[in-house]
């Protein structure tokens, strides 16, 4: 397959995505976590059919970076909001803590395994490579995607406080992993960095860079709002953010996410900006997931038989802890019982984006392992999460069991 | 000063401050790492877009057309001035340029309405004759007369200079559809002058392609004595022009059907056309500019989808023009211009003079209204990509003098690219065809605002 055909394929994927988003009840299409494009990409990639070669993927690196950057920008802009409703602070904090807890458990388990499989001789806190790998896997396996929650709620016609709570927590749990990605990227500074800088400073620098560009965008947008320049300003500032992040080997996801946070926090035109950029999410997500799937090369992942079961086991354990803690804090969740654990295992776009970001930044063992782990977690979630969520929502009495449209989805459509 | 004036002044101040922050970020990035390449191209793309927009906004106050501001931004940021953009990055942005140019060509074709062509037919025909044939001959004569001052032509035998002069003549009659559309897009001008200029510049592309084939055929035996007169160029021309028109018509009908039955996500269709189809058509040796102009024309005149089509393209207009012209500015070889400017200026002035003379003559014969008589020439001074494309082709076909010829062409085109838009905007302002500032703001609400409402 040559680059032109591959580009056409990506444009076609974006087109299909845009057609889906334009239809009402979009969440009823495809798989719960939206992982269909990952599987399609995997089939086209080097492990299966081999139609997409690593050389060809190299050509699309800038496109992949732009796609990741825009997705993160949209996530940042939309962070803390569900449709037009502001998510309460307590739930935002709770969601962030659940994400961080899952990331910590998965990172710790993977780190311990890596230290056992490949003793480096270094003191544990100095084993940077293992930290990047384990942390990357932890970040990629931290989320519970709100797409799956919406998908299930839509199918079983669920509505009520628990459904709302699950959506809120799923929306808010991206903050920690996306910010910590930036920290992990700084553990291995680029070879051509001219100034020796402490990783902490670099991490703060990329958060600062994102927020600064977000504020700058807000200022420009407020001044040029009544002209055709809105898209120009958004496109221009996001390209600057993505380009600077890539150039300095910083995390595109962190910088763009922070840009979205900054812009969303201060701009009085947030609603209009959201209205402008949100329709771009699905057309961007599909090609990005397709590329992520095509990037997976199972043959290049060492200790596959050990790493993947450990990662998945740790993720299940972490989500069990999250479910337990949530049930303790929130009594209406208790009737859901153990069914909530598989329900929380749904992951997809954020996980695969983090996986792809690591594959682009750390090509080779680290990148391949993080990406494959993200794909494995997505696949597991796809298999068990819909039935788990369905059972949980029925047990709490919020699902009628009849197929239909969920009011939140209706509102979004 | 009124409150609005104060407000605008404050806005410009803030925008300049933001521009300073952006420049600072770009400089910081180049200091922190030594890496360039594609990652740099992304940041550069965003920087040129933002900086071009801000600079255009600031310079608008003194009457500088936006596109001149974009060019100046590119030149300032480019490899010969601030070095925020390097040569490699400019090359990396070439696919974006192809995308921009394809949109410009589609918009150009779609702006041409049969009614407009009918109403200006008489003026167009006479202008086509005088502006193309007469200016080509006059410029060939001027080049011939100035040959002693041109280092690469001074020592050439007379017949060779004659051939090279003809080549210069045909290169001199190219115009810039992109510059014309960019100025019209900014000013939202409506009237006889804008209609005439648009129609002339868009249709002259075909005339120039035909004249180029003729001149290349005639000039070859003069430049390379002993070479027989070959009509091969005409066969290639037939394939290129007729094939391109046929393909363009088909594409236009397909686009019209898409607009009628699907009508969504035209941006993705434009991206597919600009990034993929241009490559395929280049490979097949078709003139994709002509294809897209024809396609736009077909959508506008053979379907009811013209306005919707134009509206979609115009939504991307600002981004497209900024990137295209700012990149062109960064591409300008300033040291070369510094070296060749006296002769480049002489040739550019001669061209502007002949264009003015031919315009007056054509208008008199066609009995044009006064505004057209006075200003019809002003929109025909700008030159850009087509001239450089012809120069590159001549460089390939005549390696002996081609490089020096192309360098002189680049220097002359650079001057015309800078002077032309200023002249055209001035003419539109003076002839009263420019829309007022309020009209421009009224007619262009941000799409997001529309949706939010």
């Amino acid at each position: 397959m040559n680059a032109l055909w591959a580009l056409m394929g990506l444009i076609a994927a974006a087109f299909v995505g845009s057609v889906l988003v334009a239809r009402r009840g979009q969440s009823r299409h495809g798989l719960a976590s939206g992982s269909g494009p990952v599987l399609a990409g995997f089939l086209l990639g080097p492990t299966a059919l081999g139609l997409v070669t690593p050389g060809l993927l190299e050509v699309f690196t800038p496109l992949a970076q732009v796609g990741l950057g825009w997705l993160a920008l949209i996530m940042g802009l939309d962070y803390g909001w569900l449709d037009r409703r502001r998510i309460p602070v307590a739930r935002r904090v709770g969601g962030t803590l659940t994400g961080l807890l899952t990331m910590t458990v998965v990172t710790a388990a993977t780190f311990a395994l890596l230290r056992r499989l490949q003793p480096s001789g270094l003191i544990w806190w100095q084993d940077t490579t293992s930290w990047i790998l384990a942390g990357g896997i932890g970040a990629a396996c931290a989320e519970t995607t709100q797409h799956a929650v919406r998908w299930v709620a839509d199918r079983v016609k669920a509505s009520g406080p628990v459904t709302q709570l699950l959506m809120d927590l799923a929306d808010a749990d991206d903050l920690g992993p996306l910010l910590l990605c930036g920290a992990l990227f700084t553990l291995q500074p680029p070879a051509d960095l001219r100034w020796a800088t402490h990783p902490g400073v670099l991490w703060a620098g990329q958060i600062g860079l994102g927020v600064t560009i977000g504020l700058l965008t807000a200022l420009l947008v407020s001044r040029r709002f009544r002209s055709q320049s809105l898209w120009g300003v958004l496109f221009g500032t996001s390209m600057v953010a993505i380009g600077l992040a890539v150039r300095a080997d910083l995390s595109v996801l962190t910088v763009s996410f922070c840009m979205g946070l900054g812009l969303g926090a201060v701009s009085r035109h947030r609603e209009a900006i959201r209205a402008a950029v949100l329709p771009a999410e699905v057309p961007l997500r599909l090609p990005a997931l397709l590329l992520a799937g095509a990037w997976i090369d199972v043959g290049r992942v060492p200790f596959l038989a050990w790493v993947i079961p450990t990662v998945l086991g740790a993720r299940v354990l972490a989500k069990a802890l999250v479910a337990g803690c949530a049930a303790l804090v929130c009594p209406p969740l208790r009737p859901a019982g153990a069914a909530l654990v598989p329900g929380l295992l749904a992951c997809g776009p954020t996980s695969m984006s983090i996986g792809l970001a690591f594959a682009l930044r750390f090509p080779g063992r680290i990148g391949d392992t993080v990406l494959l782990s993200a794909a494995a977690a997505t696949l597991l979630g796809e298999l068990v999460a819909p039935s788990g969520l369905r059972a949980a929502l029925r047990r709490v009495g919020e699902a009628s069991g009849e197929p239909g449209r969920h009011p939140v989805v209706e509102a979004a459509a | 000063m009124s409150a609005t004036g104060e407000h605008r002044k404050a806005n410009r101040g803030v925008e300049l401050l933001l521009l300073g922050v952006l420049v600072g970020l770009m400089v910081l990035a180049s200091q922190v790492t030594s890496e360039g390449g594609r990652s740099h191209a992304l940041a550069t793309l965003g920087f040129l877009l933002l900086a071009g927009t801000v600079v255009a906004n600031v310079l608008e106050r003194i009457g500088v057309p936006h596109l001149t501001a974009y060019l100046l931004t590119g030149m300032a940021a480019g490899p010969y001035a601030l070095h925020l953009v390097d040569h490699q990055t400019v090359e990396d942005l070439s696919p974006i340029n192809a995308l921009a140019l394809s949109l410009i060509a589609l918009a150009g074709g779609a702006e041409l309405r049969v009614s407009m062509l009918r109403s200006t037919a008489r003026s167009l025909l006479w202008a086509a004759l005088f502006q193309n044939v007469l200016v080509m001959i006059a410029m060939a004569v001027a080049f011939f007369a100035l040959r002693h001052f041109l280092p690469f032509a001074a020592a050439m035998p007379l017949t060779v200079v004659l051939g090279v002069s003809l080549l210069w003549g045909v290169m001199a009659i190219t115009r810039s559809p992109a510059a014309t559309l960019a100025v019209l897009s900014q000013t939202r001008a409506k009237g006889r002058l804008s209609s005439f200029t648009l129609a002339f510049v868009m249709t002259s592309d075909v005339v120039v392609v035909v004249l180029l084939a003729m001149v290349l055929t005639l000039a070859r035996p003069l430049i390379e004595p002993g070479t027989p007169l070959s009509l091969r160029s005409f066969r290639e021309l037939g394939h290129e022009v007729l094939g391109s028109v046929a393909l363009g018509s088909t594409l236009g009908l397909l686009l019209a059907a898409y607009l009628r039955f699907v009508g969504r996500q035209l941006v993705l269709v434009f991206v597919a056309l600009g990034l993929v189809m241009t490559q395929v058509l280049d490979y097949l040796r078709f003139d994709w500019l002509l294809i897209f102009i024809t396609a736009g024309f077909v959508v506008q005149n053979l379907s009811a989808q013209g306005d919707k089509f134009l509206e979609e393209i115009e939504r991307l207009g600002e981004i497209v023009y900024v990137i295209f012209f700012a990149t062109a500015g960064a591409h300008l070889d300033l040291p070369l211009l510094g070296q060749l400017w006296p002769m480049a200026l002489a040739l550019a002035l001669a061209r502007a003079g002949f264009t003015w003379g031919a315009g007056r003559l054509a208008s008199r014969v066609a009995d044009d209204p006064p505004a057209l008589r006075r200003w019809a020439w002003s929109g025909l001074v700008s030159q850009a990509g087509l001239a450089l494309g012809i120069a590159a082709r001549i460089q390939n076909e005549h390696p002996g003098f081609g490089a020096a010829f192309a360098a002189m062409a680049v220097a002359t085109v650079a001057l015309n690219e800078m002077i032309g838009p200023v002249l055209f905007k001035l003419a539109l302002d003076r002839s009263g065809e420019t829309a007022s500032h309020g009209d421009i703001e009224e007619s262009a609400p941000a799409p997001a605002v529309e949706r939010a409402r």
Side-chain angles (χ1 to χ4, degrees):
Chain A
M1 190 187 280
N2 67 22
L4 278 184
W5 282 112
L7 181 60
M8 274 308 281
L10 288 179
I11 292 171
F15 185 82
V16 170
S18 65
V19 170
L20 287 185
V21 83
R23 288 203 183 137
R24 290 164 64 85
Q26 47 158 310
S27 62
R28 295 202 297 177
H29 293 274
L31 300 173
S33 312
S35 57
V38 180
L39 291 173
F42 180 74
L43 282 175
L44 293 171
T47 308
L49 297 173
L51 289 171
V52 180
T53 57
L56 186 58
L57 287 171
E58 284 289 312
V59 177
F60 291 108
T61 302
L63 270 183
Q65 300 280 19
V66 171
L68 288 178
W70 261 80
L71 283 176
L73 171 68
I74 293 171
M75 282 190 247
L77 195 60
D78 214 29
Y79 180 77
W81 291 82
L82 202 64
D83 302 322
R84 285 172 182 251
R85 184 176 61 82
R86 189 85 167 121
I87 297 173
V89 178
R91 290 187 181 187
R92 268 182 276 158
V93 173
T96 306
L97 288 176
T98 63
L100 286 173
L101 177 64
T102 313
M103 184 176 169
T104 308
V105 172
V106 177
T107 302
T110 314
F111 185 76
L113 176 77
L114 291 172
R115 293 279 296 173
R116 203 170 174 80
L117 290 174
Q118 270 188 324
S120 60
L122 295 166
I123 308 167
W124 65 273
W125 67 79
Q126 289 179 338
D127 192 356
T128 313
T129 308
S130 296
W131 276 120
I132 296 172
L133 181 48
I137 292 173
C141 295
E143 76 154 340
T144 294
T145 178
Q146 60 158 311
H147 297 283
V149 183
R150 275 175 183 267
W151 190 87
V152 172
D154 182 27
R155 297 234 161 172
V156 299
K157 218 176 168 182
S159 64
V162 172
T163 311
Q164 205 71 68
L165 174 68
L166 288 176
M167 282 194 190
D168 290 353
L169 293 179
D171 184 79
D173 68 357
D174 296 336
L175 180 74
L178 287 173
L179 290 184
L180 288 171
C181 262
L184 293 166
F185 275 37
T186 61
L187 291 180
Q188 198 180 83
D192 61 346
L193 197 70
R194 286 178 181 160
W195 301 339
T197 313
H198 188 273
V201 177
L202 271 181
W203 183 38
Q206 56 194 307
I207 292 173
L209 175 68
V211 173
T212 306
I213 295 180
L215 299 178
L216 199 140
T217 311
L219 263 174
L220 279 171
V221 165
S222 69
R223 265 154 181 81
R224 309 182 60 79
F225 194 67
R226 288 196 177 277
S227 73
Q228 278 187 316
S229 308
L230 177 63
W231 262 106
V233 169
L234 280 174
F235 183 72
T237 47
S238 62
M239 285 300 116
V240 169
I242 294 166
L244 292 180
V246 176
R247 178 160 186 173
D249 270 343
L250 303 174
S251 162
V252 170
L253 290 176
T254 307
V255 172
S256 299
F257 182 73
C258 291
M259 179 186 161
L261 281 180
L263 175 60
V266 299
S267 179
R268 60 198 160 93
H269 304 299
R270 203 195 76 88
E271 272 304 312
I273 297 171
R274 270 187 80 233
V277 301
L278 277 185
E281 191 197 348
V282 179
L284 279 169
R285 197 193 327 138
L286 258 64
L289 291 178
L290 194 70
L291 272 178
W295 230 284
I296 297 170
D297 191 346
V298 175
R300 291 196 306 194
V301 177
F303 310 115
L304 185 70
W306 289 99
V307 172
I308 300 301
T310 306
V311 168
L312 296 182
R315 182 166 156 79
V316 174
L317 176 68
K319 289 300 178 190
L321 281 172
V322 167
C325 294
L328 271 179
V329 177
C330 183
L333 268 176
R334 285 174 198 163
L340 197 57
V341 179
L344 294 176
L345 286 174
C347 64
T350 308
S351 295
M352 290 306 297
S353 297
I354 293 173
L356 182 57
F358 271 81
L360 294 172
R361 170 66 172 81
F362 303 103
R365 186 171 76 96
I366 295 178
D368 289 330
T369 311
V370 174
L371 184 58
L372 185 65
S373 303
T378 304
L379 191 63
L380 175 71
E382 203 69 76
L383 292 173
V384 301
S387 54
L389 278 170
R390 206 176 290 133
L393 292 176
R394 282 203 183 115
R395 284 186 193 176
V396 297
E398 292 189 5
S400 68
E402 296 298 320
R405 194 185 296 280
H406 182 260
V408 178
V409 176
E410 185 81 51
Chain B
M1 191 181 283
S2 69
T4 317
E6 286 285 352
H7 183 65
R8 276 191 193 149
K9 203 173 169 184
N11 269 355
R12 289 199 178 97
V14 171
E15 289 195 346
L16 278 177
L17 189 72
L18 296 178
L19 180 64
V21 174
L22 267 176
V23 172
L25 284 173
M26 293 293 286
V27 172
L28 188 70
S30 63
Q31 293 297 313
V32 169
T33 65
S34 55
E35 195 210 334
R38 283 178 176 155
S39 59
H40 196 196
L42 293 177
T44 301
L45 186 65
F47 173 76
L48 288 179
L49 182 55
L50 290 174
T53 308
V54 171
V55 171
N57 204 30
V58 172
L59 294 185
E60 191 179 27
R61 202 177 170 201
I62 52 169
V64 175
H66 284 181
L67 98 79
T68 308
Y70 305 151
L71 281 168
L72 289 172
T73 306
M75 284 160 67
Y80 304 108
L82 294 174
H83 204 79
L84 296 172
V85 183
D86 57 26
H87 288 289
Q88 184 56 44
T89 308
V90 176
E91 291 301 321
D92 286 342
L93 288 175
S94 56
I96 304 287
N97 267 345
L99 173 65
L101 207 52
S102 61
L103 283 174
I104 290 168
L106 280 171
E111 291 279 6
L112 284 179
R113 291 174 169 87
V114 172
S115 56
M116 179 209 285
L117 290 175
R118 269 202 206 117
S119 66
T120 54
R122 190 178 158 83
S123 311
L124 279 177
L125 280 174
W126 284 111
L129 183 68
F130 286 107
Q131 290 290 2
N132 290 321
V133 181
L134 201 66
V135 173
M136 185 181 78
I137 295 168
M139 279 309 294
V141 171
F143 186 92
F144 189 81
L146 290 169
R147 69 185 184 281
H148 298 298
F149 305 101
L150 296 162
F152 69 95
M156 281 178 177
L158 213 57
T159 51
V160 178
V161 183
L162 203 61
V164 178
S165 302
L166 281 173
L167 293 177
W168 188 269
V170 78
M171 196 215 59
I173 57 166
T174 59
R175 277 95 194 181
S176 171
T180 307
L181 279 170
V183 173
L184 290 177
S185 168
Q186 181 203 338
T187 56
R188 309 248 158 201
K190 292 234 172 344
R192 190 69 194 264
L193 176 61
S194 36
S195 304
F196 164 80
T197 310
L198 187 68
F200 182 85
V201 170
M202 289 300 156
T203 49
S204 78
D205 188 28
V206 183
V207 179
V208 170
V209 171
V210 175
L211 283 174
L212 175 68
M214 285 171 65
V215 168
L216 281 174
T217 306
L218 292 173
R220 188 172 291 280
L222 292 171
I223 294 168
E224 295 165 17
T227 312
L229 192 70
S230 162
L231 296 179
R232 191 171 57 95
S233 305
F234 286 95
R235 201 177 61 219
E236 284 173 7
L237 176 73
H239 164 83
E240 191 175 317
V241 172
L242 295 179
S244 300
V245 170
L247 269 177
S249 307
T250 312
L251 177 65
L253 291 174
L254 287 174
L255 279 173
Y258 180 84
L259 282 159
R260 168 79 178 77
F261 297 109
V262 184
R264 278 200 303 265
Q265 290 300 331
L266 270 169
V267 174
L268 287 175
V269 175
F270 292 147
V271 170
L273 287 177
L275 290 182
V276 182
M277 200 164 165
T278 48
Q279 302 280 317
V280 176
L281 293 171
D282 247 356
Y283 178 75
L284 296 173
R285 304 188 69 149
F286 285 111
D287 181 351
W288 56 264
L289 266 182
L290 186 56
I291 290 175
F292 288 143
I293 290 176
T294 311
F297 182 78
V298 168
V299 173
Q300 179 62 263
N301 295 288
L302 297 184
S303 79
Q305 309 298 323
D307 290 338
K308 187 177 175 185
F309 184 63
L310 261 179
E311 192 186 318
E312 288 289 338
I313 298 179
E314 278 173 8
R315 279 189 183 178
L316 296 170
E318 187 151 342
I319 298 179
V320 166
Y321 294 129
V322 186
I323 294 172
F324 183 74
F325 286 106
T327 314
H331 221 298
L332 281 183
D333 194 338
L334 295 181
L336 186 73
L337 185 61
Q339 210 180 335
L340 299 175
W341 76 268
M343 282 318 296
L345 185 64
L347 288 166
L349 285 176
R351 179 176 175 273
F354 293 136
T355 305
W356 174 80
R360 299 287 286 198
L361 207 58
S363 287
R364 186 179 291 258
V365 178
D367 198 20
D368 286 335
L372 211 52
R373 276 192 197 197
R374 195 162 178 205
W375 296 112
W377 63 282
S378 65
L380 314 185
V381 175
S382 298
Q383 274 190 305
L386 186 57
L388 298 178
I390 291 175
R393 186 170 167 185
I394 291 168
Q395 185 177 356
N396 283 341
E397 293 195 8
H398 302 284
F401 65 87
F405 181 95
M408 183 54 76
V410 168
T412 315
V413 169
L415 290 174
N416 289 328
E417 207 172 8
M418 297 298 295
I419 301 164
V422 180
L423 274 173
F424 186 37
K425 184 169 179 291
L426 182 77
L428 289 170
D429 290 344
R430 291 283 169 87
S431 59
E433 294 192 7
T434 304
S436 69
H437 187 75
D439 291 343
I440 294 171
E441 287 292 311
E442 284 276 308
S443 63
V449 183
E450 288 290 284
R451 275 195 286 274
R453 280 174 193 161

